[in-house]
Structures are given as structure tokens and as C-alpha cells.
């Protein structure tokens, strides 16, 4: 299957915007959200914000602007949060240089045609010493993606919709492109080997062992040099 373009992803996500929160894994969202909230500073820009679940917590202590390429997602952000939300491509951010202290992106970088272009843009709109916070599905996610696809075929509800993505980031690839964009990585993690809230204590234990490499998500904190 050929990977869709950025504009094609806009259409794909438009079709799921109104039901997106109901098909997302609340446990996975909360773990990633905790990371972003603990690491963010100052004025924040969430890129590829979906329905704004990360922004919802950040706005309690930060000024937040959210963007998404899907007009439907931006409508949901405005309805739910009432914050400034803009439709735009992550590879062409419509903000002046040095506008933000933190740029964050949750599960968005592997959708992009050219993730390097997004990182160049993130560097540009960050102030000196600004933070880049990213989460990405780890390439180990492929097995869970196949299982969800099978469950969808049997009509099982609350499965994440078919977003047409079949390949995900590895930590080494993510680090390579972040560092090539002149960011310095200060923290990297792999979390959630088992995607179930009732196994949270086991997940946190496994994340301190080599089993962390089976984590479904990669988290990275980098800083603008």
C-alpha cells in the first residue's frame, strides 16, 4: 500500500474527527500526556493536535496554540477547548520565527511526507533554548496494528480506525532526523509494552528493563541549540 500524502491524510482524519476521542486508547493518551505536561515550558504549539487531548492539559498552565491539517479536527479542538486552533500542514507552519518555547507533536511525525521539513519548521518557530517534545508509535506497533485490523474485520468496536499507516518510526531513525535538524536530545524513552490500563504497574516495571524496547511508544525531549 502506498503511503497517503499529507493532504490525503487530512481527508482521512476528517472522516473520523467527530468520533476520534472514542476510538483512542485512553491509557496510552494519558501516559503520553503526562510526559508532555511534565516537560513543556512557556508558550506551547501543538502540531498535528487531533482533537487537542494534549493541549487540554497543557492549557491549564501554559498558553497553547494547536494546529492540524484536518479541518474537522480543528473544529473539534475549538468546540472542546476554545483555544486558538489553525488548519495547516506541519511542514509549513504559519508562525514567525521564535514564536514559541515548546513545540510538541503526539503521534504525527510518521504521517508526514517529509518529517525533516517539520523539524526544520519546529526549529525555526522555537525561541533559543526551546523544547521539542515528540511521541511516536514505535515500529514494534506493527503487530498491534495487524491485530486491530483483524478485530475491525470482525466488527469489534472501539478499534482505532484504519489510517492507512503500516510502517512506524524506530528510535534510531527518529534520533537521526532530530539531531540532523540541530536539536540536542536530552531525554528518550520507550513506554507501554502492554496497551492495557490495568497493567500499568507492570508496564512501569518493564519500562525499567530491556523489555522497554517492546514499548509501543517512543518519547523524545530535545532542545534547540
Amino acid at each position: 500500500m502506498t503511503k497517503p500524502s499529507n493532504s490525503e491524510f487530512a481527508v482521512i482524519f476528517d472522516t473520523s474527527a467527530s468520533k476520534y476521542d472514542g476510538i483512542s486508547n485512553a491509557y496510552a493518551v494519558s501516559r503520553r500526556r503526562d510526559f508532555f505536561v511534565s516537560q513543556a515550558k512557556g508558550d506551547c504549539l501543538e502540531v498535528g493536535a487531533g482533537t487537542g487531548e494534549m493541549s487540554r492539559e497543557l492549557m491549564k498552565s501554559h498558553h497553547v496554540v494547536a494546529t492540524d491539517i484536518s479541518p474537522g479536527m480543528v473544529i473539534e479542538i475549538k468546540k472542546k477547548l476554545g483555544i486558538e486552533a489553525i488548519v495547516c500542514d506541519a511542514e509549513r507552519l504559519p508562525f514567525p520565527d521564535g514564536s514559541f518555547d515548546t513545540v510538541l507533536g503526539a503521534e504525527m511525525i510518521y504521517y508526514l511526507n517529509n518529517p525533516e521539513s517539520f523539524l526544520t519548521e519546529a526549529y525555526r518557530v522555537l525561541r533559543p533554548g526551546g523544547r521539542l517534545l515528540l511521541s511516536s508509535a514505535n515500529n514494534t506497533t506493527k503487530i498491534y496494528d495487524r491485530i486491530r485490523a483483524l478485530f475491525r474485520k470482525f466488527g469489534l468496536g472501539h478499534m482505532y480506525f484504519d489510517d492507512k499507516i503500516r510502517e512506524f518510526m524506530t528510535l534510531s531513525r527518529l534520533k537521526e532526523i532530530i539531531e540532523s535538524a540541530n536539536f540536542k536530545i536530552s531525554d528518550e524513552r520507550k513506554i507501554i509494552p502492554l496497551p492495557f490500563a490495568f497493567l500499568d504497574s507492570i508496564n512501569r516495571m518493564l519500562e525499567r528493563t530491556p523489555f522497554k524496547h517492546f514499548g509501543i511508544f517512543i518519547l523524545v525531549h530535545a532542545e534547540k541549540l
Side-chain angles (χ1 to χ4, degrees):
M1 177 184 293
T2 303
K3 180 181 174 181
S5 66
N6 289 1
S7 58
E8 289 171 331
F9 275 125
V11 175
I12 290 170
F13 277 89
D14 264 350
T15 63
S16 297
S18 63
K19 59 184 178 183
Y20 190 74
D21 289 345
I23 57 177
S24 295
N25 183 314
Y27 170 57
V29 170
S30 70
R31 288 292 310 276
R32 289 174 285 143
R33 187 170 56 218
D34 289 347
F35 172 76
F36 288 128
V37 170
S38 69
Q39 303 293 324
K41 69 172 185 177
D43 296 323
C44 297
L45 171 66
E46 184 180 4
V47 182
T51 60
E53 274 300 295
M54 305 303 158
S55 292
R56 184 164 62 89
E57 283 299 311
L58 285 166
M59 64 186 286
K60 294 177 181 178
S61 53
H62 300 274
H63 172 251
V64 181
V65 177
T67 77
D68 201 277
I69 199 170
S70 160
M73 291 293 189
V74 169
I75 289 170
E76 294 299 315
I77 294 170
K78 290 180 176 180
K79 285 196 304 186
K80 185 163 72 173
L81 306 181
I83 62 173
E84 181 180 358
I86 298 169
V87 178
C88 74
D89 190 321
E91 296 176 26
R92 296 186 296 276
L93 298 175
F95 305 103
D97 297 359
S99 297
F100 299 96
D101 300 294
T102 301
V103 171
L104 61 125
E107 265 53 58
M108 48 75 70
I109 194 165
Y110 52 85
Y111 288 103
L112 301 177
N113 295 343
N114 296 292
E116 296 87 350
S117 296
F118 159 64
L119 293 171
T120 297
E121 282 289 271
Y123 192 93
R124 180 184 65 78
V125 302
L126 279 170
R127 296 172 182 136
R131 296 178 178 178
L132 173 71
L133 306 178
L134 295 176
S135 67
S136 173
N138 191 1
N139 209 36
T140 57
T141 300
K142 287 192 290 188
I143 186 170
Y144 294 106
D145 182 65
R146 306 300 188 270
I147 293 170
R148 287 190 307 197
L150 180 62
F151 285 162
R152 282 196 299 267
K153 287 183 179 179
F154 286 99
L156 189 65
H158 301 290
M159 289 291 107
Y160 194 75
F161 72 107
D162 183 6
D163 59 11
K164 312 303 179 185
I165 283 287
R166 298 294 178 266
E167 297 294 328
F168 304 91
M169 286 276 185
T170 62
L171 178 57
S172 59
R173 173 60 178 156
L174 189 56
K175 289 172 62 176
E176 176 188 4
I177 60 176
I178 290 172
E179 291 172 340
S180 293
N182 293 319
F183 287 99
K184 180 181 179 182
I185 295 173
S186 58
D187 189 10
E188 60 186 63
R189 309 177 193 181
K190 291 181 179 178
I191 64 168
I192 312 182
L194 302 167
F196 305 103
F198 72 91
L199 296 175
D200 180 60
S201 60
I202 294 175
N203 274 323
R204 292 177 189 271
M205 179 186 68
L206 293 176
E207 289 160 17
R208 298 193 295 270
T209 75
F211 285 102
K212 67 183 179 183
H213 297 297
F214 295 99
I216 298 172
F217 298 100
I218 300 166
L219 306 175
V220 176
H221 169 178
E223 296 189 358
K224 178 174 179 176
L225 295 176

